[in-house]
Amino acid sequence: MIARRWLFIAFALTAMLAAPASAQSTPEWNDDITEQAPAWYATAEARAIADSVVAHQSPEGGWPKNTSLAVPPDVKAVDEGSKNTFDNEGTTLPMAFLARVIAAGERPADRAAFDRGLDYTLAAQSPSGGWPQFYPLRPGYYSHITYNDDAMVRIMILLREIAEGSGPYRFVDDDRRSRAGAAVARGIQTMLATQVRQDGVLTVWCAQHDQQTLEPAWARAFEPPSLSGSESVGITRFLMSIPDPSPQVIAAVEGAVRWFEASAVRGIRLQPITAPDGQPDLQVVADPQAPPIWARFYDLQTNRPIFLGRDSVVHFEVSQIERERRMGYRYYGDRPAALLRDDYPAWRRRVGLS
């Protein structure tokens, strides 16, 4: 059976390489893989990719990150450090892809892999209601409730669609749909419980919270307990998407929006430059006409933007950290802009607040 599966993969991949130049190009392994026309998921090309995705699934039921699952795995090159994760769409994207292939024409191996992935995702939810970066749990920050890079938000969106039986998820059995709905409800309560308060006033979230105390927590050396001007956007959008929000959800959204409005950094912009040594760099320049931006990290007490390099020393200017981090990590961004401009007014109209 295994030999026949790999022969099929080899045949399908050979056919893909031999396809004429006018044929539709193979989508890359990223969000595009779930945004193809429904008929494409019934093609031999899509099914060959699905075979590869199934082959990448771990014995525990998860998938790796930073790996093209469209390419069959090389058992000699398996990176143990990347397995069984929700980081960088490591498990949620393959599940979303497999669901579309199943909806286009169910095959037993695809369905079994999806069900195992869903069971794995449900098992990974912590008693406090959040999801870690890796499961089974690993020592260190990997076990924190992980909002970083929208990991938990992506899980919640996936499970909500499964619970509703919407889109390609109508095939999921009633028991798993019910469990997915219960997990989403618990996750929402975790989002509400982890929202940081300052003197009783709701603000936003840290990129990761301790799974037991729910307090903001350290991740990597340059990712301190702080208020997030980036990850908090995804959480707020998810709360806005709840069809019939409770008073607690409405208060959480309003508190986050007030914080975004108050925490915008104005009058500056990031300017790419060439440093005296000829290497690329960034500098902050004054610009009264620049649109607002937000820092990635804000001090938990003062709301002042903070910047840390690999030495974990807090600075108040991005120019004060090492160039490698300044160029290799996004310390400023504009994610809240569209939320404030478009999503928030539409949400207020939808829930009857304006």
Side-chain angles (χ1 to χ4, degrees):
M1 178 66 71
I2 294 175
R4 288 199 298 270
R5 174 177 289 275
W6 284 107
L7 283 172
F8 174 77
I9 293 174
F11 174 80
L13 290 175
T14 300
M16 288 160 54
L17 291 173
S22 60
Q24 179 180 341
S25 61
T26 303
E28 295 184 5
W29 185 257
N30 54 35
D31 286 336
D32 289 346
I33 204 76
T34 62
E35 296 174 1
Q36 305 303 302
W40 179 79
Y41 295 99
T43 65
E45 179 182 43
R47 290 184 170 192
I49 294 174
D51 286 337
S52 178
V53 170
V54 171
H56 275 282
Q57 189 175 28
S58 74
E60 294 81 8
W63 279 271
K65 64 175 179 176
N66 303 335
T67 302
S68 176
L69 304 189
V71 179
D74 181 349
V75 294
K76 296 181 180 179
V78 172
D79 179 6
E80 294 294 328
S82 72
K83 290 172 56 178
N84 291 316
T85 184
F86 300 104
D87 191 30
N88 295 350
E89 299 185 299
T91 292
T92 50
L93 184 59
M95 288 183 63
F97 170 73
L98 284 178
R100 285 155 175 78
V101 175
I102 293 167
E106 184 170 323
R107 300 184 301 167
D110 298 338
R111 177 64 183 270
F114 180 91
D115 286 348
R116 288 180 60 231
L118 178 52
D119 292 343
Y120 165 86
T121 301
L122 294 171
Q125 188 174 27
S126 70
S128 57
W131 275 268
Q133 187 178 138
F134 287 87
Y135 186 80
L137 298 179
R138 302 181 182 186
Y141 70 85
Y142 305 107
S143 298
H144 291 327
I145 295 169
T146 304
Y147 296 129
N148 200 19
D149 294 330
D150 293 335
M152 179 165 156
V153 169
R154 287 195 300 269
I155 296 169
M156 295 276 282
I157 292 171
L158 174 72
L159 292 181
R160 181 173 61 187
E161 291 177 348
I162 291 171
E164 295 172 348
S166 60
Y169 300 102
R170 289 187 290 274
F171 68 86
V172 180
D173 62 83
D174 290 343
D175 176 67
R176 286 186 172 91
R177 286 175 58 184
S178 177
R179 289 160 55 202
V184 171
R186 290 175 57 209
I188 291 171
Q189 292 307 307
T190 299
M191 287 178 168
L192 298 177
T194 50
Q195 190 171 16
V196 177
R197 292 177 181 264
Q198 292 175 337
D199 297 326
V201 177
L202 289 168
T203 62
V204 287
W205 293 263
C206 185
Q208 53 281 319
H209 288 252
D210 186 280
Q211 65 167 324
Q212 295 180 337
T213 68
L214 305 186
E215 293 297 317
W218 277 95
R220 289 174 290 184
F222 48 91
E223 296 172 325
S226 57
L227 298 173
S228 169
S230 180
E231 279 76 13
S232 297
V233 174
I235 301 169
T236 305
R237 278 206 176 99
F238 182 87
L239 295 176
M240 284 181 174
S241 71
I242 295 173
D244 185 19
S246 66
Q248 292 80 9
V249 169
I250 290 174
V253 170
E254 294 284 5
V257 167
R258 298 286 85 79
W259 185 89
F260 284 128
E261 291 173 334
S263 301
V265 179
R266 303 180 186 276
I268 65 168
R269 59 181 170 81
L270 295 181
Q271 177 67 50
I273 63 169
T274 299
D277 62 2
Q279 297 301 309
D281 204 345
L282 285 175
Q283 68 178 13
V284 175
V285 298
D287 183 354
Q289 305 304 316
I293 57 176
W294 285 260
R296 184 85 176 245
F297 307 122
Y298 290 78
D299 183 87
L300 286 165
Q301 281 74 45
T302 67
N303 288 319
R304 187 175 180 181
I306 56 176
F307 309 90
L308 289 75
R310 295 189 183 277
D311 59 4
S312 301
V313 175
V314 174
H315 298 282
F316 298 107
E317 301 291 341
V318 71
S319 61
Q320 296 170 330
I321 63 173
E322 65 268 28
R323 182 194 299 166
E324 180 271 332
R325 283 295 79 201
R326 188 163 58 246
M327 295 296 293
Y329 194 77
R330 193 167 185 179
Y331 287 91
Y332 277 115
D334 63 356
R335 285 191 70 189
L339 177 85
L340 298 180
R341 182 188 63 244
D342 303 323
D343 301 333
Y344 178 59
W347 174 80
R348 283 184 62 87
R349 290 192 294 272
R350 182 176 69 78
V351 299
L353 295 178
S354 60

